[in-house]
Amino acid sequence: MSEILELKNISKSYGETKVLDNISFKINNNEFFTILGSSGSGKSTIIRMIGGFVKPTSGQIFYENNIINEQPIFKRPFNTVFQDYALFPNMNVSNNVGFGLKIKNVNILKIKEKVQEVLQIVGLENFSDRMPQELSGGQQQRVALARAIICEPKVILLDEPLGALDAELRKQMQLFLKEIQKKIKISFIFITHDQEEAIFLSDRIAVLNNHKFEQIGSPKDLYYSPKTTYMAKFFGECNLIACKVVDKKMDSIVVESEFGQLLINHSIDKSIGDSLTFGIRPEEIKILDQSSSNSIEVIIKDVEFRGSTSNLNVKSQHSEKYLKIQNISSNISQPFQQDDVINVELNTGVGTIFKDETIS
Amino acid sequence: MWNLIPVLEQYLKMRQLVNYFRTSIWTLIRFVLVISLILIPLGSFLSYSFFTVDGTDIIHEFSLFNYQEFLTGEIYIKTFIRTILLALTVMFICILLGYPVAYFLARYAGKYKYSILLMLIIPLFMSYIIKIYMMRSILGFSGLINKVLKMLGVIEKPLEFFLWNQNAVIITLVVILLPLIIIPTFTSLEKIPKNIIEASFDLGCKPFQAFRYVIFPIGLPGLIVGSIFVFILALGDFVTPQLVGGTSGFTYGKIIYSNFGMAFNWPFGAALASILLIVSVIIILFTNRLTEKSKT
């Protein structure tokens, strides 16, 4: 895949306040790239920098290997879909959509043709004479998208475009965005604070935390191989267990934890006596019918019924912390009860070892 | 035990009746206010324009004499047209001076914009007459401008360009009415969301194009409202020409004033005022249509 856009060592401060601290990433052609972060994390600042509305304090922005830091907004081959749509209130739908072409002095007949074509893509071909104020939120959103698409930009920047929509419409628009992106083959840089939305839409996600990227990768990467404990807890739930290495074998280590001794199938350059954090997702813990050499015995303290799955909060005899186990409800012939004692296996070869030892 | 339902029905009917009376009383009050404060004065004003005078007595008989007088007496139509041109001139000068100020305030003055706006509004609290006298002392033969020019040796004799003529009326009206065009224009320009302007740049507009296609059209209603204010007030003004206009700065408003205040010809004054009113209303309706059109 060829890359189209690169941000290199970008920092941005407003006076004393640091918003972005030395971030770098690349965008590939035809990619749906999501920047995920809580509000105020500086995620909008990133696409505003790409769009040209703000200048980075330091660092370079490359477009097709040329630095575009100083290029004015109107010359950049990107278009933005703003959070609250920013449609021109003095123009009807087709004039809004055709505006970008009008500015580029495209022939009027050609504009008309293109506008119809794009309106068809976003499913608003019967609304061309309406004023923006006469449209619903979802429809305005489609117009804003059409207005960006028509200019055939290399990258479309979407600044929390679904933020103002209600849950139902949001779902619809997510599907719609994903379809459109596949159809028109333009890179999307999408901003959101909604993890589910990010996982559903994206080819790759960059998680922004504390002015820096915590991790960049495909949704599966982020879920199954989180690099930090923050990331492990960011998507879904994760049991984090503090351990001490007590023995080292060829391709596994034995650690001591508050749940007893665990055998972890990871080769890692830690020596005996070192501490580490072992992370395992609730659904990765196996419930055994009978005890085995690798299993530990735990007591169920609480059963959370979640429909198709159930969460068990369990404790071992000596542990202070709870362990969360997810079980598919229909798999259990006899539902678990509070205070049942069960045998579980943690060392199934899955799970992640984190070098940072902070467990929050 | 007796049945509750008929009692309840009765009660609901009562409630309905009370509600009905309450809404009708409020409606009545609203009508009375509009009729007594707006329609009756206007009506009496209009009906007076169809009366005539004999000496100082008003003859309460229907006649079109006043309107005939207006159409045949060349001086009235001439003055009327000249006054319209004067008001238009004042309006255009106000647009030329006021729009850039409003634009600068709305877009570039940042956190100071409201303090600057306040300074522009303060003159509106001052007495209108005082402002005219102030202008007289600036423009006059021994006024500020002439004195300074004389001191600098630019002129020998005081310039007569500034006082006792139409120019003086125009300058004074512009100074007095300028805030009235700045305020609505500023408000409508300031209301434009920042991201709409950003969107225009994003779609390829150079700064002038963003102004031409987005900022100006969206802010236009404010400019039109301000222009109407200025135009209507300049059209009906009679104090300014009286105090700085001299003999050549005679305006339509001054004719109306003299018919009421000096000639005691109320019916003719009412007729002239009615004509002014009708023309003003037509202008307002016309510009309204223009704004409606500019939206599509």
Side-chain angles (χ1 to χ4, degrees):
Chain A
M1 258 198 274
S2 59
E3 66 202 49
I4 185 163
L5 192 72
E6 180 180 1
L7 270 71
K8 208 170 186 180
N9 305 327
I10 293 284
S11 295
K12 176 73 189 172
S13 323
Y14 289 108
E16 290 288 290
T17 354
K18 196 160 233 174
V19 182
L20 295 169
D21 185 9
N22 201 22
I23 60 158
S24 302
F25 66 97
K26 293 172 183 177
I27 306 286
N28 298 320
N29 248 330
N30 308 339
E31 183 180 32
F32 203 121
F33 187 87
T34 297
I35 298 170
L36 181 58
S38 49
S39 58
S41 61
K43 53 192 191 309
S44 290
T45 309
I46 297 177
I47 63 166
R48 287 178 64 77
M49 263 177 337
I50 299 171
F53 302 109
V54 269
K55 291 218 165 83
T57 312
S58 66
Q60 294 93 39
I61 303 170
F62 293 91
Y63 167 68
E64 288 179 339
N65 301 321
N66 298 316
I67 295 184
I68 54 161
N69 279 26
E70 295 300 322
Q71 202 173 57
I73 306 168
F74 54 84
K75 281 192 181 160
R76 299 194 184 198
F78 317 130
N79 285 112
T80 309
V81 176
F82 291 86
Q83 184 171 12
D84 36 13
Y85 326 128
L87 299 178
F88 304 123
N90 55 326
M91 302 177 200
N92 65 17
V93 168
S94 52
N95 286 343
N96 258 291
V97 174
F99 187 74
L101 298 182
K102 183 178 165 189
I103 292 302
K104 292 184 184 89
N105 284 322
V106 177
N107 177 289
I108 292 179
L109 291 174
K110 192 98 189 264
I111 294 179
K112 256 192 177 164
E113 201 178 295
K114 271 285 235 176
V115 167
Q116 271 311 309
E117 196 183 311
V118 175
L119 283 179
Q120 213 141 30
I121 293 179
V122 299
L124 287 176
E125 59 270 35
N126 298 325
F127 291 83
S128 53
D129 293 331
R130 296 273 190 98
M131 297 306 280
Q133 305 87 290
E134 298 166 350
L135 300 177
S136 71
Q139 289 167 336
Q140 290 188 33
Q141 187 64 75
R142 284 159 193 251
V143 176
L145 190 65
R147 192 175 67 173
I149 291 172
I150 203 168
C151 303
E152 294 173 0
K154 299 297 177 199
V155 179
I156 292 183
L157 310 166
L158 301 106
D159 188 359
E160 290 209 49
L162 309 183
L165 304 179
D166 58 68
E168 185 74 16
L169 201 55
R170 219 179 149 115
K171 287 255 161 62
Q172 275 179 30
M173 285 301 290
Q174 286 172 4
L175 265 171
F176 171 74
L177 273 180
K178 204 170 170 173
E179 268 172 31
I180 291 255
Q181 197 265 336
K182 282 202 182 118
K183 206 187 281 178
I184 58 173
K185 297 203 168 69
I186 296 176
S187 297
F188 276 30
I189 302 181
F190 185 85
I191 295 251
T192 185
H193 59 262
D194 185 323
Q195 288 132 354
E196 266 181 57
E197 189 167 282
I199 290 181
F200 175 70
L201 288 172
S202 323
D203 294 322
R204 283 194 307 147
I205 301 174
V207 177
L208 198 60
N209 178 37
N210 237 337
H211 322 301
K212 283 183 178 173
F213 280 138
E214 198 78 23
Q215 191 172 352
I216 303 177
S218 71
K220 275 188 184 157
D221 276 350
L222 299 193
Y223 190 78
Y224 288 114
S225 358
K227 279 195 180 131
T228 59
T229 51
Y230 175 87
M231 285 301 302
K233 299 192 100 178
F234 193 69
F235 289 113
E237 285 177 287
C238 191
N239 296 298
L240 296 173
I241 307 165
C243 307
K244 217 167 206 138
V245 182
V246 290
D247 195 10
K248 230 180 147 178
K249 290 175 182 167
M250 271 290 282
D251 51 359
S252 63
I253 49 171
V254 180
V255 296
E256 182 70 43
S257 76
E258 57 177 330
F259 298 99
Q261 279 209 345
L262 306 171
L263 181 86
I264 302 173
N265 294 322
H266 282 282
S267 50
I268 184 171
D269 57 337
K270 289 255 180 188
S271 41
I272 292 170
D274 285 354
S275 49
L276 55 84
T277 303
F278 178 62
I280 187 161
R281 300 239 176 238
E283 71 273 17
E284 291 172 334
I285 298 176
K286 228 191 221 166
I287 300 173
L288 303 177
D289 293 334
Q290 54 200 152
S291 73
S292 78
S293 58
N294 282 334
S295 70
I296 54 174
E297 207 178 68
V298 290
I299 309 157
I300 299 176
K301 287 289 175 194
D302 187 20
V303 181
E304 294 169 10
F305 179 67
R306 294 264 177 101
S308 62
T309 62
S310 299
N311 279 346
L312 310 176
N313 288 317
V314 302
K315 240 176 170 180
S316 83
Q317 236 164 2
H318 313 290
S319 73
E320 277 188 15
K321 278 198 151 184
Y322 285 92
L323 213 52
K324 194 162 254 180
I325 302 171
Q326 196 184 61
N327 216 329
I328 295 170
S329 302
S330 60
N331 273 359
I332 308 157
S333 46
Q334 247 187 343
F336 293 113
Q337 302 278 326
Q338 204 174 329
D339 297 329
D340 281 357
V341 175
I342 53 169
N343 289 297
V344 296
E345 199 177 58
L346 295 160
N347 42 334
T348 50
V350 290
T352 320
I353 290 171
F354 300 105
K355 289 172 184 162
D356 55 337
E357 282 141 34
T358 48
I359 300 174
S360 43
Chain B
M1 203 183 132
W2 43 279
N3 201 345
L4 257 175
I5 290 170
V7 180
L8 218 71
E9 267 177 359
Q10 201 97 48
Y11 171 73
L12 285 177
K13 256 185 199 162
M14 284 274 287
R15 281 285 301 267
Q16 256 177 6
L17 218 63
V18 169
N19 271 339
Y20 178 74
F21 269 116
R22 197 180 288 157
T23 40
S24 26
I25 283 172
W26 277 113
T27 320
L28 195 71
I29 289 175
R30 262 175 267 167
F31 270 110
V32 166
L33 281 177
V34 170
I35 289 168
S36 66
L37 295 179
I38 300 173
L39 291 181
I40 290 178
L42 267 183
S44 84
F45 183 82
L46 269 175
S47 56
Y48 260 85
S49 74
F50 294 109
F51 299 151
T52 46
V53 284
D54 181 15
T56 52
D57 297 326
I58 291 170
I59 302 163
H60 295 261
E61 264 169 40
F62 179 83
S63 133
L64 286 172
F65 175 78
N66 295 321
Y67 291 96
Q68 275 167 4
E69 183 80 1
F70 173 80
L71 291 172
T72 48
E74 216 178 290
I75 174 83
Y76 302 115
I77 293 182
K78 237 182 178 172
T79 314
F80 190 50
I81 289 169
R82 222 187 50 208
T83 308
I84 288 178
L85 290 178
L86 174 106
L88 282 175
T89 314
V90 170
M91 183 184 91
F92 279 115
I93 295 174
C94 277
I95 291 174
L96 286 180
L97 295 177
Y99 195 87
V101 173
Y103 185 82
F104 168 80
L105 273 184
R107 299 232 29 223
Y108 301 110
K111 59 179 174 178
Y112 300 109
K113 60 182 165 190
Y114 293 108
S115 350
I116 298 175
L117 189 71
L118 190 70
M119 284 195 274
L120 290 170
I121 292 175
I122 286 173
L124 286 181
F125 295 117
M126 292 185 343
S127 160
Y128 170 62
I129 307 287
I130 289 177
K131 276 188 281 188
I132 298 173
Y133 272 106
M134 178 195 77
M135 284 310 291
R136 219 152 89 146
S137 70
I138 292 173
L139 301 172
F141 291 143
S142 54
L144 185 72
I145 294 177
N146 275 324
K147 266 192 181 157
V148 169
L149 289 178
K150 239 171 155 178
M151 246 168 54
L152 294 172
V154 182
I155 49 171
E156 296 273 307
K157 276 196 297 182
L159 287 177
E160 290 174 15
F161 176 75
F162 296 121
L163 207 59
W164 313 125
N165 56 27
Q166 188 110 317
N167 296 328
V169 178
I170 290 173
I171 293 171
T172 309
L173 282 175
V174 166
V175 169
I176 291 169
L177 299 177
L178 195 55
L180 294 177
I181 207 161
I182 294 176
I183 293 161
T185 310
F186 167 81
T187 319
S188 72
L189 285 176
E190 205 230 357
K191 253 190 348 209
I192 302 174
K194 209 175 138 212
N195 63 10
I196 283 184
I197 299 167
E198 284 182 347
S200 68
F201 285 120
D202 189 73
L203 291 164
C205 281
K206 296 183 182 73
F208 177 73
Q209 287 172 315
F211 176 76
R212 155 92 176 71
Y213 292 112
V214 177
I215 300 169
F216 183 74
I218 299 177
L220 191 59
L223 183 65
I224 288 177
V225 167
S227 306
I228 291 176
F229 273 163
V230 169
F231 178 74
I232 300 289
L233 288 174
L235 195 61
D237 192 89
F238 61 90
V239 182
T240 310
Q242 179 111 337
L243 293 178
V244 299
T247 43
S248 69
F250 206 66
T251 65
Y252 192 71
K254 207 175 153 190
I255 299 180
I256 296 174
Y257 169 75
S258 56
N259 268 298
F260 278 98
M262 290 182 289
F264 289 107
N265 192 344
W266 288 17
F268 189 53
L272 294 178
S274 299
I275 290 164
L276 184 64
L277 179 75
I278 289 161
V279 170
S280 304
V281 169
I282 288 170
I283 288 168
I284 290 173
L285 290 178
F286 177 73
T287 42
N288 248 349
R289 280 284 292 280
L290 217 68
T291 17
E292 292 287 299
K293 252 190 180 168
S294 77
K295 274 185 190 162
T296 50

